[in-house]
Amino acid sequence: EAQLVESGGGSVQSGGSLRLSCVPSEHFVVKIYMGWFRQKPGKEREGVAAFYTADSGTHYADSVKGRFTISQDNAKNTVYLQMNSLKPADTAIYYCAQSRVWGPPLLIGTYDYWGQGTQVTVSS
């Protein structure tokens, strides 16, 4: 089964930055959205950012607007999540995901393939 591989997680202090990367293990022909989700301890997984591959449109959760940026490098077949002005509330496991179908871009059910997750820890 196709997998996505995330990297770039780690520990930073509040106000710091991290950049997450996501590389599909196989090259997909059909790719509607690429998304980033996160799951905080004891909480449900939530959508953070999504990238619409057809027109490079982006979608963000209100909690990260203005601080996080999702982007894609087609040459490297890599999707990035640049996270700036990080807060302790951003501490979570972050997951990359890919969809082959239309749907709400920040909804878990829209996505078919998931990475294994990468831990992001922000200390105050």
Side-chain angles (χ1 to χ4, degrees):
E1 183 173 310
Q3 295 182 348
L4 307 172
V5 179
E6 303 105 335
S7 61
S11 297
V12 295
Q13 291 190 329
S14 182
S17 297
L18 284 172
R19 188 178 76 161
L20 306 182
S21 301
C22 171
V23 180
S25 60
E26 298 175 19
H27 181 69
F28 296 102
V29 175
V30 177
K31 187 167 61 178
I32 303 297
Y33 296 109
M34 293 297 300
W36 286 96
F37 290 73
R38 67 185 181 188
Q39 189 163 15
K40 302 178 182 181
K43 302 291 186 180
E44 294 186 353
R45 196 172 298 187
E46 62 179 359
V48 174
F51 181 93
Y52 179 44
T53 59
D55 64 5
S56 301
T58 56
H59 306 265
Y60 296 95
D62 289 343
S63 59
V64 306
K65 281 181 182 177
R67 300 188 298 122
F68 290 11
T69 303
I70 187 171
S71 62
Q72 177 171 277
D73 184 331
N74 288 324
K76 297 181 179 179
N77 194 31
T78 301
V79 175
Y80 300 100
L81 183 68
Q82 178 66 45
M83 304 185 295
N84 298 327
S85 301
L86 282 162
K87 306 174 181 179
D90 295 317
T91 295
I93 299 174
Y94 284 71
Y95 297 89
C96 179
Q98 178 170 327
S99 76
R100 297 177 297 166
V101 298
W102 293 93
L106 296 180
L107 184 67
I108 291 174
T110 299
Y111 292 81
D112 307 282
Y113 299 111
W114 294 84
Q116 80 287 353
T118 185
Q119 177 71 47
V120 171
T121 302
V122 185
S123 58
S124 57

